[in-house]
């Protein structure tokens, strides 16, 4: 039996245990470039943006173990391997945390900004930009900067495209996946375009590293470029990490672009299902706004002229979201128009017929609706609601909600019925019909949302009360946290918002 010292047995056992536990790191080691063990064992810097990054701040200031020859002969082989394994674990942790943060981004712009920040930490740069140029039909082209103002990006665009590394990458063969381009010293490279060197001096950067955003599956979407303040370039380990991150970012951007295209198509369908223009009826002026949510809800409005100078106004909401809700909304709105023409004088009958149709054709779906029969010459309104929010009357002398009876949504009961309500708007007063998506999008409880809506309608400037469009815009800007700057690129939980205003002369 061999006489093996206890110290040697402990080192060998620790090494075997580490190799058994770190199978994933062995896989990375097989893919890692040969001869870079010193770079992989470089000391780690403090956390960058909350992440314990294993990447040095810059290539020209990072020290490696290979730079200290005195350490090599005295370091045990087991310690070197364990140090290498620790470096791989640190790299995997950093990469995991960065990709997790990128995966949480839900919009294209947020993903591009996160890509720039993470890439800057991985390659040790302070500034950068992303030029996104997806293939035709997959999304618009855009440029986003990190640490660069809009004017700085404009200066970069004055350089001939063929002279820039990102331009050469974007204009390369469309079927190939291009390689990154590093320019370690822009002032010593005599082959560079003079305009590129002039812009670099103006913006204060001396080197750059361009990473293609391209994979075989997603195609070529764009390129990310990071700029160094001094001559430098990322080491092999940094290139490997940012390359892995770039491939993941490309796939994530491809999914977001496809999601944007789907949302845009749904927004177009929703707008086509709503009235293209509002009718002109003597004695009343109309205005409407529809703010679509990212999921494509089923909220709608309608206004149609009726016999003897009457006017029918309707708003409603179909449960669910997506293409099926849009299709149901279109069918419901078309049916209500037909019922309004036949028996519009009786709003209860109109909603009863609509409820029967919904229960027979779509038993798994419910809807809220409000229909108002207006006689502008008499300033008389008769309305009925099915689980819908009450209208709001606003004018110079009053701002109050119309008292309606409590009723269930359509499709919730075996037989829907609720009494109608009659009221008379005064001269110059405006009746606001809206969907509950407006209240829910405020993020407040319902009582506070109603109070916010009431305050917004009461605070309409006197000069704007004669224009229903100005009234609607003022109310939406006041009630919604994001104002009118909302739509398909909003938060995932945002719902459709519909508001219909009728100002009586």
């Amino acid at each position: 039996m061999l006489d093996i010292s206890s110290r040697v047995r402990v080192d060998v056992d620790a090494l075997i245990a580490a190799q058994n536990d770190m199978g994933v790191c062995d896989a990375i080691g097989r893919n890692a470039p040969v001869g870079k063990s010193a770079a992989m064992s470089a000391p780690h810097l403090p956390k960058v943006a909350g992440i314990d990054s294993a990447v040095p701040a810059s290539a020209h200031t990072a020290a490696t173990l290979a730079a200290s020859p005195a350490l090599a002969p005295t370091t045990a082989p087991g310690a070197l391997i364990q140090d290498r394994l620790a470096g791989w674990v640190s790299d995997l942790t950093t990469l995991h945390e960065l990709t997790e943060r990128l995966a949480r981004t839900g919009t294209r712009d947020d993903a591009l900004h996160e890509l720039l920040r993470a890439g800057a930490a991985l390659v040790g740069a302070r500034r950068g930009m992303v030029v996104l140029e997806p293939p035709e039909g997959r999304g618009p082209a855009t440029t986003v900067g990190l640490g660069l103002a809009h004017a700085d990006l404009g200066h970069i665009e004055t350089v001939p495209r063929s002279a820039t590394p990102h331009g050469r990458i974007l204009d390369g063969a469309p079927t190939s996946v291009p390689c990154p381009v590093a320019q370690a010293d822009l002032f010593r490279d005599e082959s560079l375009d003079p305009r590129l060197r002039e812009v670099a001096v103006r913006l204060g950067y001396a080197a750059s590293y361009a990473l293609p955003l391209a994979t075989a599956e997603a195609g070529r979407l764009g390129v990310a470029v990071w700029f160094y303040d001094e001559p430098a370039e990322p080491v092999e380990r940094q290139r490997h990490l940012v390359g892995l991150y770039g491939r993941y970012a490309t796939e994530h951007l491809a999914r977001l672009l496809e999601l944007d295209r789907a949302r845009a198509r749904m927004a177009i369908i929703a707008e086509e299902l709503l009235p293209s223009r509002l009718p002109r009826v003597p004695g009343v002026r109309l205005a409407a706004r529809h703010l679509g949510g990212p999921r494509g809800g089923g909220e709608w409005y309608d206004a149609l002229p009726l016999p003897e100078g009457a006017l029918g106004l309707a708003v409603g909401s179909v449960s669910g979201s997506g293409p099926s809700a849009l299709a149901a909304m279109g069918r419901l709105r078309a049916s209500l128009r037909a019922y309004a023409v036949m028996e519009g004088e009786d709003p209860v009958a109109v909603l009863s017929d609509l409820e029967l149709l919904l229960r027979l054709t779509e038993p798994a779906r419910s809807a809220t609706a409000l229909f108002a029969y207006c006689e502008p010459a008499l300033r008389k309104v008769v309305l009925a609601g099915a689980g819908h929010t009450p209208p709001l009357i606003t004018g110079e002398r009053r701002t109050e909600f119309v008292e309606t009876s409590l009723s269930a949504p359509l499709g919730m009961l075996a037989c829907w019925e609720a009494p109608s309500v009659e009221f008379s708007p005064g001269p110059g007063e405006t009746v606001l019909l809206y969907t509950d998506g407006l209240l829910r999008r405020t993020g407040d409880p319902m009582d506070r949302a109603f109070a916010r809506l009431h305050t917004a309608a009461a605070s309409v400037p006197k000069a704007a009360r004669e224009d229903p469009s100005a009234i609607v815009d003022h109310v939406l800007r006041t009630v919604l946290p994001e104002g009118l700057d909302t739509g398909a690129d909003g938060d995932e939980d945002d719902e459709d918002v519909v508001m219909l205003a009728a100002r009586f002369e």
Side-chain angles (χ1 to χ4, degrees), residues 1-45:
M1 181 174 182
L2 296 177
D3 185 12
I4 301 176
S5 64
S6 60
R7 183 174 183 273
V8 173
R9 286 200 300 272
V10 170
D11 289 342
V12 172
D13 292 343
L15 177 58
I16 294 175
Q19 291 174 341
N20 291 335
D21 293 340
M22 300 305 298
V24 63
C25 293
D26 292 339
I28 295 180
R30 288 194 294 272
N31 295 328
V34 180
K36 295 300 179 180
S37 59
M40 295 299 291
S41 59
H44 307 303
L45 292 181

Side-chain angles (χ1 to χ4, degrees), residues 241 316 429 465:
L241 286 177
E429 290 186 334
R465 290 192 175 275

Side-chain angles (χ1 to χ4, degrees), residues 130-501:
V130 172
V131 181
L132 192 65
E133 292 186 5
E136 185 176 358
R138 296 185 62 182
T142 184
T143 302
V144 176
L146 172 68
L148 297 173
H150 185 72
D152 299 333
L153 297 176
H155 286 306
I156 297 176
E157 291 179 355
T158 62
V159 182
R161 188 178 174 99
S162 59
T164 62
H166 63 273
R168 294 195 297 271
I169 290 175
L170 293 172
D171 295 338
T175 57
S176 63
V177 177
C179 298
V181 177
Q183 293 180 330
D185 194 340
L186 294 173
F187 304 119
R188 291 187 179 181
D189 191 348
E190 299 296 336
S191 63
L192 297 180
D193 188 279
R195 178 58 183 166
L196 176 60
R197 190 177 292 107
E198 178 184 346
V199 170
V201 172
R202 184 184 186 95
L203 300 183
Y205 68 88
S208 66
Y209 183 73
L211 177 70
L213 300 178
T215 63
E217 296 77 12
R220 185 178 308 166
L221 302 182
V223 60
V225 188
W226 291 277
F227 302 105
Y228 297 90
D229 296 340
E230 301 175 12
E233 63 178 320
V235 297
E236 188 64 30
R237 176 184 175 207
Q238 293 173 310
R239 295 189 186 206
H240 180 64
L241 286 177
V242 78
L244 293 175
Y245 181 80
R247 287 195 287 273
Y248 179 85
T250 302
E251 298 292 339
H252 182 65
L253 285 171
R255 291 190 292 269
L256 291 179
L257 289 174
E258 184 61 29
L259 184 60
D260 287 343
R261 291 176 58 196
R263 289 173 174 173
R265 289 193 293 265
M266 290 188 59
I268 294 174
I269 295 174
E271 291 300 326
E272 291 295 328
L273 291 175
L274 295 175
S276 57
R277 62 183 180 87
L278 297 173
R280 294 183 178 182
V281 177
V284 65
R285 296 171 59 190
L286 302 175
R289 295 290 184 272
H290 173 237
L291 305 179
R295 295 179 297 175
E299 305 204 358
W300 52 276
Y301 69 91
D302 204 354
L304 66 156
L306 297 175
E308 301 179 358
L311 175 68
L313 302 176
V315 291
S317 176
V318 177
S319 62
S321 61
S324 62
L326 289 177
M329 177 265 285
R331 292 190 292 267
L332 206 64
R333 173 178 169 264
S335 301
L336 186 141
R337 291 176 69 91
Y339 298 145
V341 171
M342 292 187 296
E343 46 191 353
E345 301 89 345
D346 187 357
V348 173
V350 173
L351 293 185
S352 297
D353 294 342
L354 194 65
E355 194 274 338
L356 179 60
L357 177 70
L358 182 68
R359 184 153 43 88
L360 293 176
T361 59
E362 304 198 37
R365 195 180 297 277
S366 63
T368 65
L370 186 146
F371 178 73
Y373 178 80
C374 307
E375 297 181 79
L378 303 176
R379 288 197 298 275
K380 174 184 175 183
V381 179
V382 181
L383 64 87
H388 206 78
T389 51
L392 180 62
I393 302 177
T394 180
E396 293 185 6
R397 297 186 177 181
R398 64 169 176 169
T399 297
E400 60 185 26
F401 290 100
V402 177
E403 294 186 4
T404 58
S405 59
L406 185 64
S407 59
L410 303 177
M412 296 293 290
L413 301 177
C415 181
W416 176 89
E417 188 172 353
S420 61
V421 176
E422 181 179 329
F423 64 97
S424 298
E429 290 186 334
T430 302
V431 178
L432 297 177
L433 308 180
Y434 53 93
T435 57
D436 53 1
L438 172 64
L439 303 176
R440 286 197 293 266
R441 197 178 261 194
T442 63
D444 294 335
M446 276 299 173
D447 56 343
R448 294 184 181 180
F450 275 114
R452 178 183 287 192
L453 176 59
H454 184 277
T455 302
S459 64
V460 175
K462 184 177 181 180
R465 290 192 175 275
E466 297 182 359
D467 184 4
S469 296
I471 295 176
V472 171
D473 291 340
H474 173 83
V475 171
L476 292 178
R477 278 195 300 264
T478 307
V479 172
L480 296 178
E482 68 276 22
L484 296 177
D485 297 330
T486 183
D489 56 348
D491 294 335
E492 191 65 27
D493 293 335
D494 285 349
E495 301 187 33
D496 281 14
V497 172
V498 163
M499 177 167 283
L500 177 62

